Amino acid sequence: MITALMPTYARADLAFDHGEGAWLWSEDGRRFLDFGAGIATSSVGHGNPHLVGAIAAQAAKVMHVSNLYRVSGAEKLAARLVANSFADSVFFCNSGAEANEGLTKMIRRAMNRTGRPEATRIICFEGAFHGRTLAMLSATGNPKYLDGFGPPVEGFDHVPLNNLNAVRDAITPQTAGILVEPLQGEGGIRLADPEFLRGLRAACDEYGILLGMDEVQTGFGRSGKLFMHQVAGVTPDVMSVAKGIGGGFPMGAVLATEAVARHLTAGSHGTTFGGSPLACAAGNAVLDIILAPGFLDEVNDTAARLWAGLQELVAFYPDIFAEARGQGLLVGLKCLVPNADMQAASVAEGLLTVAAGDNVLRLAPPLIVRAAEVDVALEMLAHAATRIRAHLAAAAQ
Ligand SMILES: *Cc1c(COP(=O)(O)O)cnc(C)c1O
């Protein structure tokens, strides 16, 4: 018989009761170090007093009023995001997929309203992940996710990542823009070369099309900068964010330049829940923490420590790991054994991670993770690798 909770996930047999900082306690009383952060989402840790306090206080005042009225928390959060990014205007929504839908609509609308109505197609990349709505399944392009869901939504073309010639060859008069993750998260922590991103910007400028960045996973400090495109020094025209923005409160946003955003006139796009007083209280609280002086410096220090430890780990277990890769606190261990085995062995040591494509074990701790906790995680990974090595040796006999 089917479970009451629809079985769309192969869930680990673990249920959590509460958390504090980078730690989670299961209902059966075990403690885990959380290097998954609910898929790079619990950015400021579990039970963060500032975030919890802001949500509780706002919930007691008013949670939701709809976008028929002004929402001062949303005005404030938008102004802060504008002040700290390339963007001139922000649209709030509820998830990464919804943010990418909005981004795609904005790209199409901007072309339509500037005399290029035929330009509706978006160039995307092999290995991308943009979400699970019907259009974003097409943008993602992974046949496994499209299977059985009818004709894919038209308008998305795919080319290999980091191949500028392929991108330029794919640009036609029907092309409206490009959508790229500066680092593919679900696809296996695959980095878009900074040089490649600069080439995309140049191609967009040359052909008069728009550059969209999906920073749903890389945004909000995870890369060591507020947004990862700042690492490469490449500015998009429009950007989607979600995951870390609310520290675990469901929220997304589209950030755009005025040239793009000015075509989204009243009534052209909308959401019932997006940008609610409650969501924006969470967003503002998260931003208070991430923008506090020195916070991102600490993220970079912690990331450097993790990176150095992972290099040692890879060197010590060349039979288990091929390489460590990533940016900031979004890193991947490319495994030579099934990543699911490595993940299970890590859980047995008390460490939570997230699998990613290309047989990668993804590490994405809360940004507030401390150096001592990084050391503990590295030790747990080493123990897990030793455990797997012992299994392999036993199986070989
Ligand atoms: C998670 C993710 C999405 C989808 O976000 P949802 O909130 O699950 O809809 C889109 N793009 C990227 C890069 C992601 O990591």
Side-chain angles (χ1 to χ4, degrees):
M1 204 175 76
I2 192 166
T3 47
L5 186 56
M6 204 174 282
T8 52
Y9 279 86
R11 297 167 191 269
D13 187 18
L14 270 173
F16 297 107
D17 179 67
H18 66 281
E20 191 184 322
W23 298 87
L24 280 170
W25 280 261
S26 60
E27 289 177 353
D28 58 8
R30 288 176 292 158
R31 188 174 85 141
F32 294 86
L33 186 52
D34 185 9
F35 267 50
I39 319 184
T41 294
S42 305
S43 47
V44 296
H46 302 289
N48 185 292
H50 184 63
L51 176 58
V52 171
I55 291 173
Q58 188 61 54
K61 284 170 74 180
V62 62
M63 283 193 264
H64 173 83
V65 294
S66 87
N67 287 300
L68 302 178
Y69 305 99
R70 288 180 53 194
V71 177
S72 33
E75 290 173 6
K76 178 179 164 190
L77 183 56
R80 296 173 80 190
L81 292 175
V82 164
N84 286 283
S85 74
F86 70 93
D88 302 309
S89 202
V90 182
F91 178 87
F92 291 116
C93 56
N94 307 285
S95 71
E98 194 187 351
N100 281 325
E101 292 272 344
L103 174 149
T104 302
K105 284 177 72 176
M106 287 180 203
I107 288 178
R108 286 186 173 188
R109 178 87 159 197
M111 298 305 275
N112 180 281
R113 291 297 195 267
T114 53
R116 304 266 309 273
E118 75 289 354
T120 58
R121 305 190 68 85
I122 313 275
I123 295 175
C124 303
F125 295 93
E126 292 168 7
F129 184 77
H130 298 300
R132 302 285 201 145
T133 58
L134 280 170
M136 286 312 113
L137 284 179
S138 275
T140 295
N142 183 335
K144 196 176 83 184
Y145 297 156
L146 282 156
D147 180 39
F149 294 116
V153 172
E154 252 305 299
F156 300 93
D157 301 306
H158 289 84
V159 298
L161 188 69
N162 291 328
N163 184 336
L164 202 53
N165 287 333
V167 175
R168 297 182 73 96
D169 285 350
I171 296 173
T172 71
Q174 280 74 50
T175 303
I178 296 173
L179 177 56
V180 65
E181 296 158 82
L183 183 155
Q184 290 186 345
E186 305 306 307
I189 313 297
R190 293 171 68 219
L191 191 72
D193 294 335
E195 194 57 32
F196 176 69
L197 292 178
R198 283 190 280 274
L200 292 183
R201 178 72 271 174
C204 285
D205 294 342
E206 185 181 330
Y207 289 96
I209 60 177
L210 296 166
L211 181 58
M213 292 238 192
D214 180 342
E215 292 230 29
V216 167
Q217 190 154 163
T218 53
F220 287 90
R222 188 146 290 282
S223 70
K225 298 249 188 209
L226 185 57
F227 300 112
M228 188 164 163
H229 65 264
Q230 297 165 330
V231 176
V234 175
T235 305
D237 299 294
V238 54
M239 170 174 76
S240 55
V241 293
K243 291 197 167 82
I245 185 176
F249 194 93
M251 186 175 199
V254 191
L255 282 69
T257 62
E258 181 167 8
V260 172
R262 70 190 171 91
H263 305 292
L264 276 288
T265 47
S268 61
H269 191 47
T271 163
T272 298
F273 291 121
S276 74
L278 190 57
C280 292
N284 274 308
V286 168
L287 214 49
D288 291 342
I289 295 166
I290 293 181
L291 291 180
F295 183 85
L296 289 176
D297 295 331
E298 274 184 48
V299 169
N300 284 304
D301 289 349
T302 325
R305 192 180 187 96
L306 177 61
W307 184 252
L310 291 177
Q311 296 304 324
E312 280 180 32
L313 190 76
V314 171
F316 203 78
Y317 296 95
D319 49 334
I320 312 283
F321 305 115
E323 64 168 344
R325 61 198 193 202
Q327 177 76 42
L329 287 178
L330 184 53
V331 301
L333 278 168
K334 164 95 175 160
C335 296
L336 296 169
V337 297
N339 59 352
D341 293 356
M342 188 58 209
Q343 187 181 25
S346 301
V347 168
E349 295 293 334
L351 180 70
L352 304 176
T353 62
V354 188
D358 198 28
N359 203 34
V360 160
L361 189 74
R362 176 172 22 173
L363 306 176
L367 305 182
I368 50 82
V369 70
R370 285 187 283 258
E373 291 161 341
V374 165
D375 295 346
V376 172
L378 288 164
E379 208 167 297
M380 289 170 165
L381 285 169
H383 286 158
T386 300
R387 192 187 281 254
I388 288 188
R389 197 179 252 176
H391 279 297
L392 290 177
Q397 280 183 358

